[in-house]
Amino acid sequence: MIHYFEGQLGHIFVIIAFVTSLLSSYAYFKGRNQNQSWTSFGSKIFYAHSIAIFGIIGTLFYLITNHYFEYHYVFSHSSKILPTYYQISCFWEGQEGSFLLWMFWNALLGIILINTNKFWKAPVMFIMSLTQVFLASMILGVVIFDIKLGSSPFMLLRDVIDAPIFKTNPNFIPEDGNGLNPLLQNYWMVIHPPTLFLGFATTVIPFAYLIGGLMIGKQKEWIRPALPWAQFSAMILGVGILMGAYWAYETLNFGGYWNWDPVENAIYVPWLVLVAAIHVMIAYKKSGSALKLSMILVAASFLLVLYATFLTRSGILGNSSVHSFTDLGLSGQLLIYLLAFVVLSIAFIAKGWKQVPSTEEETSTYSREFWIFVGAAVLGLMAFQVLIYTSMPVYNQVAGLLGFDLNLAPPTDIYDAYSLPQLLLSIFLAILSGTGQFFWWKKMDKQKLKAELTTPFIISLIISGLIIVVAQITDPYYLILLVACSYSIVANAKIFLGVAKSNIKLSGGSIAHIGIAMMLIGILFSSGYSTILSTNYTSMVWSNEFPEEVNRDNLLLFLNEPRQMKEYSMIYRGIRKDTREEGFVDQNELIPTADPLKVVKRGTKSQDTLTLINPENSYFEVEYHTEAGKQFTLYPRVQINKAMDMIVYSPDIKRKLSADMYTHVRTFPDPEQETDWSDPEEIKVTIGDQFFINDYVATLERMEPISEVDGSSLSSGDVAVKAVIKVQGEFGDYLAEPVFVIRNQEYVGRIDDQVYDLAFRISIQNIIPQENAVVLAYQTTQKDWIIMEAVKKPWINVLWLGTFLLVIGFGVAIRRRYVEFVKMRDKGVEA
């Protein structure tokens, strides 16, 4: 039965959300000059808008959790076998759900803004409501004058997919859905997208204060309330980016956490610009300079978020990104969304430009403003350099519209295109973040600067010199970056100790700068000095489909055969399934049931089932043995989603303080391919005889009568007997128990037994009572194998520790600015 009501209810909520966002935008615009009646009306409508959004979200969650696969969104992104936490991820896997997530955060933030600052309520909420108009239009799913407006998550499957089944049976409902993209089946994908979209949503708030201030003639007062929000936005967006990096590190198999993917870049660029804006805004608060630059950077940070949205959701990136969405026909709407706010920004900034006070005084080299401007310039250059290459698909599209072909391809050498320029600019950034702090807290001249910098410089040289010698760093760029980062840490530590004595609330900047420098050192070591443990010293090429570096850096491991890789001996133990009751279990010991989530372990009763965590997942058990006699086991994963025709390999990581052991599998034998067995070899044996199977010593221990075969009891005229054969493997003994069945004294059945670890199967061909002998037949095949890569990533924890310090630094700074804002607001100051 098709559940029409739920979808219709959801669509009604969407229409209400769109209409109320329009009404609240109009009301807030009318109330922008302290018209309380219009402002109050706008707030009531915005609350109704928020309730409608919560209704949309609740309805969609209801459809997903109840597996209503008659709806296209539910069918495309969920399935019955997904755990509850991944069903949550299904909500935002598609474009419609991610727009809803963005709208949810905007609504929540809007409610906070309504209740925190009455003076700024109307002009700021006008911009907030206007963004909701565009976002709500993305999920409307209506056609007006042959123009499609949005894509609804409440469309029925039969209305989206032109499948023959719907012509013969319009009420057909699939038994199951396609499921969640295997790449997204990671716990980080449960928290990363909400965090990232909260970051997106918060970038509109400083922008709203800017445009709202220009709208009501408060060209400079907007800075104070906007600054803590800008800092909060930069913190959340930065955390979201780093969560995505950690997800890539744990899920993707390119061997790192950042691959300069266009979608990664599209989020990184506005974050850099926002950080630059924060520094310039602080400079204005201190000295009254650079207000115009603050306006430009705040507007640019939000517009770049919209540009990132256009890049990732319009389909313009094509296959150049693993993260981008397919085009749902929304590219035109996305472009209008972007251009509308570009025009709005230019119009209001141009209108208020002449009223914005300018600083006539020339900036001194020994002033804090000069160093902040230089730092902002470096951040801007870093953003611009990444943006140039990331926007290549856009250049091609624009050229095509103008009637000529550019055919610009994304850079193939990632290091030269992205990593090296960013590394060089990061050196300047580290030096500036260390030096600029001294100008911030003290008036400087040449002599004072020399006195302040001498000690940190000498200490940083000593520390970096020791690291260079111990770590054997030889690359000149890495040497300079290490010295610069060491200097930044020491210099900011000196500032922190000095500031903390008087007021630790002022230490946010120095803590954040230490965090950035530590992150750069962590990136330097984990990326620049990773050690490939699985180097292929043979001349064998594993696959002609692999690039040269993959054949060079990966090893072939046969089941239970140790391989030495530098200081580690590695043993592949086989494929495991993750069960709720017993953890990892050998998949060869499990028998499937009618329920895809339930399996039975061989040798147990049929009712004693185990529950698979996810039947799509298989894990390769790989043991590591050190020369010191220590041992640990890793379980890199493969996920096979047949509905999506996807095979995804994910690494497993052994984390230590000094380094991570990163292991992932490149390929393994196709489980769908039929096993290639050798021709049967027969051998006649008696009880106690020893013989060889595939070069392993085997002994026929005994013959036993049995009363059940495959869980079914035998009839009175049936006879079944099994041979118990012990086989000595490399790491222990195995039992093979082939069965010989006689039914109705005529029919002979043979049930072979396979020992997967030793790559053979054996059966009873005949029983010779007069000789007390049996005739066995065995076949052999190739042992199970994997091709895998093992990488040692030194000091990657310095990167994660730096991230933690960066967040703490932002948190301290946000609290300080917010307390300052609240005090001024409570005194009746408008800004």
Side-chain angles (χ1 to χ4, degrees):
M1 181 185 72
I2 294 179
H3 302 84
Y4 291 103
F5 172 75
E6 291 84 349
Q8 292 169 349
L9 179 64
H11 194 64
I12 290 170
F13 279 132
V14 172
I15 294 172
I16 293 172
F18 179 70
V19 172
T20 50
S21 63
L22 279 171
L23 287 174
S24 62
S25 298
Y26 179 76
Y28 281 128
F29 180 75
K30 295 290 286 184
R32 64 192 182 279
N33 290 312
Q34 303 305 306
N35 187 315
Q36 294 303 317
S37 60
W38 276 110
T39 302
S40 176
F41 177 69
S43 297
K44 291 174 182 175
I45 296 298
F46 192 85
Y47 277 115
H49 166 76
S50 301
I51 292 170
I53 289 173
F54 300 151
I56 301 168
I57 292 171
T59 305
L60 188 54
F61 266 127
Y62 182 81
L63 297 180
I64 291 171
T65 54
N66 284 280
H67 308 303
Y68 289 171
F69 297 119
E70 61 265 40
Y71 288 93
H72 179 254
Y73 195 88
V74 180
F75 172 78
S76 300
H77 303 293
S78 71
S79 68
K80 292 178 180 178
I81 66 171
L82 286 174
T84 303
Y85 46 90
Y86 287 153
Q87 289 182 24
I88 296 173
S89 296
C90 295
F91 175 82
W92 47 70
E93 185 195 14
Q95 291 220 43
E96 300 92 336
S98 60
F99 281 127
L100 264 174
L101 185 59
W102 195 344
M103 291 172 67
F104 166 79
W105 285 124
N106 270 2
L108 211 59
L109 292 168
I111 292 170
I112 293 171
L113 290 169
I114 287 171
N115 291 282
T116 53
N117 196 332
K118 292 181 180 179
F119 176 81
W120 288 97
K121 185 188 297 184
V124 168
M125 286 306 298
F126 164 66
I127 298 298
M128 294 293 292
S129 298
L130 197 59
T131 60
Q132 293 294 77
V133 171
F134 284 98
L135 289 172
S137 72
M138 297 296 173
I139 60 170
L140 263 179
V142 298
V143 178
I144 303 175
F145 301 116
D146 294 328
I147 298 174
K148 181 186 177 185
L149 197 62
S151 175
S152 172
F154 301 107
M155 294 288 288
L156 290 171
L157 185 63
R158 70 187 184 193
D159 295 332
V160 179
I161 296 178
D162 185 20
I165 185 66
F166 294 118
K167 294 178 181 178
T168 57
N169 181 11
N171 293 325
F172 170 75
I173 300 175
E175 287 293 322
D176 205 352
N178 284 338
L180 184 66
N181 188 318
L183 291 172
L184 305 182
Q185 294 188 32
N186 178 279
Y187 59 94
W188 284 107
M189 279 295 115
V190 180
I191 57 176
H192 162 59
T195 305
L196 195 62
F197 278 97
L198 175 58
F200 282 3
T202 51
T203 58
V204 73
I205 299 179
F207 176 79
Y209 274 108
L210 164 63
I211 301 300
L214 294 173
M215 186 187 301
I216 62 175
K218 300 293 182 181
Q219 286 85 3
K220 58 182 182 180
E221 289 83 358
W222 64 273
I223 289 280
R224 190 187 302 276
L227 182 55
W229 281 110
Q231 292 172 320
F232 179 74
S233 180
M235 179 183 74
I236 296 298
L237 194 58
V239 169
I241 292 169
L242 287 161
M243 281 182 176
Y246 201 83
W247 161 77
Y249 182 59
E250 283 200 340
T251 303
L252 304 182
N253 63 357
F254 64 84
Y257 37 79
W258 196 264
N259 202 33
W260 297 111
D261 182 276
V263 172
E264 296 171 348
N265 299 346
I267 302 167
Y268 172 66
V269 167
W271 182 78
L272 289 173
V273 174
L274 183 58
V275 172
I278 289 168
H279 285 79
V280 176
M281 291 166 74
I282 294 172
Y284 171 75
K285 276 181 58 47
K286 288 288 184 180
S287 63
S289 60
L291 180 57
K292 290 181 178 178
L293 183 57
S294 297
M295 293 162 55
I296 292 170
L297 290 175
V298 167
S301 62
F302 175 64
L303 295 176
L304 283 166
V305 166
L306 299 186
Y307 180 65
T309 304
F310 172 74
L311 279 180
T312 56
R313 296 167 190 279
S314 64
I316 200 169
L317 291 177
N319 295 322
S320 61
S321 171
V322 299
H323 305 280
S324 61
F325 291 88
T326 55
D327 185 13
L328 296 179
L330 302 179
S331 54
Q333 275 182 256
L334 290 166
L335 186 59
I336 291 171
Y337 185 13
L338 171 61
L339 293 178
F341 278 94
V342 169
V343 171
L344 183 74
S345 304
I346 293 173
F348 277 105
I349 291 174
K351 180 182 176 182
W353 192 261
K354 291 183 180 179
Q355 284 74 45
V356 176
S358 299
T359 306
E360 301 296 333
E361 182 181 347
E362 184 176 347
T363 302
S364 167
T365 308
Y366 294 97
S367 68
R368 60 191 171 199
E369 290 78 20
F370 172 82
W371 288 88
I372 284 179
F373 297 155
V374 173
V378 171
L379 288 167
L381 279 173
M382 293 175 75
F384 182 68
Q385 189 272 326
V386 173
L387 193 63
I388 289 175
Y389 286 116
T390 305
S391 299
M392 280 185 173
V394 179
Y395 308 152
N396 291 333
Q397 289 285 335
V398 172
L401 292 174
L402 297 176
F404 59 93
D405 294 329
L406 281 179
N407 291 324
L408 294 174
T412 55
D413 191 333
I414 298 298
Y415 178 79
D416 286 344
Y418 293 112
S419 300
L420 181 58
Q422 293 293 299
L423 184 154
L424 295 175
L425 289 168
S426 295
I427 291 171
F428 286 104
L429 195 65
I431 295 171
L432 290 168
S433 68
T435 306
Q437 284 285 297
F438 291 102
F439 293 92
W440 188 256
W441 298 105
K442 297 179 182 179
K443 288 186 176 181
M444 286 288 174
D445 56 29
K446 188 175 182 179
Q447 294 302 319
K448 288 182 180 178
L449 180 63
K450 183 178 179 181
E452 289 288 347
L453 297 184
T454 299
T455 302
F457 183 68
I458 292 173
I459 294 174
S460 61
L461 282 179
I462 294 171
I463 293 173
S464 53
L466 290 172
I467 295 173
I468 289 166
V469 172
V470 173
Q472 299 180 349
I473 299 175
T474 55
D475 186 289
Y477 295 133
Y478 292 167
L479 287 169
I480 298 171
L481 180 62
L482 178 62
V483 173
C485 290
S486 300
Y487 164 73
S488 179
I489 292 171
V490 175
N492 279 286
K494 181 180 179 182
I495 293 293
F496 171 78
L497 293 173
V499 171
K501 290 178 182 177
S502 57
N503 189 354
I504 197 168
K505 296 176 183 178
L506 303 175
S507 62
S510 57
I511 296 173
H513 290 161
I514 291 172
I516 289 288
M518 291 181 68
M519 288 171 66
L520 290 172
I521 291 176
I523 293 169
L524 185 157
F525 279 103
S526 61
S527 296
Y529 286 91
S530 293
T531 303
I532 303 293
L533 300 177
S534 52
T535 304
N536 177 16
Y537 292 108
T538 73
S539 57
M540 295 180 65
V541 174
W542 307 131
S543 172
N544 292 323
E545 296 179 1
F546 289 161
E548 180 183 349
E549 62 270 16
V550 172
N551 283 308
R552 181 193 64 216
D553 296 337
N554 289 258
L555 267 185
L556 173 67
L557 292 182
F558 283 105
L559 188 70
N560 291 326
E561 293 186 8
R563 289 294 299 268
Q564 192 69 31
M565 289 199 256
K566 292 192 165 61
E567 67 267 36
Y568 295 95
S569 174
M570 302 177 64
I571 306 172
Y572 168 49
R573 293 299 192 185
I575 298 177
R576 308 293 182 246
K577 288 288 186 179
D578 192 10
T579 65
R580 199 175 302 280
E581 295 82 4
E582 297 186 13
F584 292 110
V585 179
D586 188 340
Q587 75 164 6
N588 297 318
E589 294 297 315
L590 301 177
I591 302 170
T593 66
D595 185 344
L597 288 172
K598 300 292 185 179
V599 291
V600 177
K601 195 171 182 181
R602 294 182 188 277
T604 62
K605 297 179 180 180
S606 58
Q607 64 267 26
D608 296 335
T609 58
L610 299 177
T611 305
L612 297 176
I613 302 296
N614 188 335
E616 294 179 355
N617 290 342
S618 298
Y619 299 83
F620 306 94
E621 183 177 330
V622 182
E623 287 181 5
Y624 280 79
H625 297 262
T626 68
E627 295 174 348
K630 295 182 178 180
Q631 174 186 334
F632 59 89
T633 304
L634 293 179
Y635 295 89
R637 184 187 73 182
V638 63
Q639 184 168 358
I640 302 175
N641 185 309
K642 295 181 180 179
M644 294 185 180
D645 194 25
M646 289 184 68
I647 299 178
V648 175
Y649 295 94
S650 297
D652 195 15
I653 303 164
K654 172 67 175 178
R655 294 170 179 84
K656 296 192 293 185
L657 181 64
S658 60
D660 277 4
M661 183 64 66
Y662 184 95
T663 300
H664 66 91
V665 171
R666 289 287 180 187
T667 188
F668 72 113
D670 184 356
E672 299 295 323
Q673 186 174 343
E674 188 175 344
T675 305
D676 185 17
W677 292 100
S678 66
D679 293 331
E681 292 190 30
E682 292 190 357
I683 183 171
K684 185 169 68 172
V685 294
T686 59
I687 294 174
D689 284 353
Q690 289 188 338
F691 54 99
F692 288 95
I693 305 176
N694 206 14
D695 295 330
Y696 296 104
V697 177
T699 305
L700 177 60
E701 297 276 309
R702 60 188 179 275
M703 301 290 293
E704 290 183 358
I706 55 177
S707 58
E708 288 186 357
V709 175
D710 291 337
S712 300
S713 299
L714 297 174
S715 302
S716 58
D718 298 340
V719 177
V721 63
K722 72 174 180 181
V724 179
I725 304 166
K726 184 174 75 172
V727 186
Q728 300 175 26
E730 297 101 325
F731 300 96
D733 295 338
Y734 295 81
L735 287 180
E737 298 181 340
V739 175
F740 189 82
V741 183
I742 299 176
R743 293 187 182 274
N744 299 323
Q745 299 182 349
E746 294 181 0
Y747 176 76
V748 176
R750 299 178 180 88
I751 303 175
D752 61 35
D753 193 13
Q754 182 173 344
V755 179
Y756 295 90
D757 286 4
L758 305 183
F760 74 85
R761 65 183 181 186
I762 190 166
S763 62
I764 302 173
Q765 293 298 301
N766 199 5
I767 297 176
I768 310 174
Q770 58 271 29
E771 298 182 22
N772 289 324
V774 295
V775 178
L776 304 175
Y778 65 87
Q779 295 173 280
T780 63
T781 187
Q782 187 181 60
K783 267 191 174 184
D784 193 12
W785 53 268
I786 56 172
I787 293 175
M788 58 158 283
E789 182 177 42
V791 185
K792 190 174 184 179
K793 292 185 171 293
W795 299 113
I796 193 171
N797 287 322
V798 177
L799 166 60
W800 311 127
L801 178 59
T803 302
F804 180 68
L805 289 178
L806 176 65
V807 172
I808 290 177
F810 265 120
V812 171
I814 291 165
R815 185 181 184 281
R816 175 195 170 195
R817 297 296 175 186
Y818 182 72
V819 169
E820 177 187 284
F821 161 71
V822 170
K823 286 180 179 178
M824 298 300 291
R825 182 197 63 188
D826 293 344
K827 288 179 181 178
V829 179
E830 295 174 349

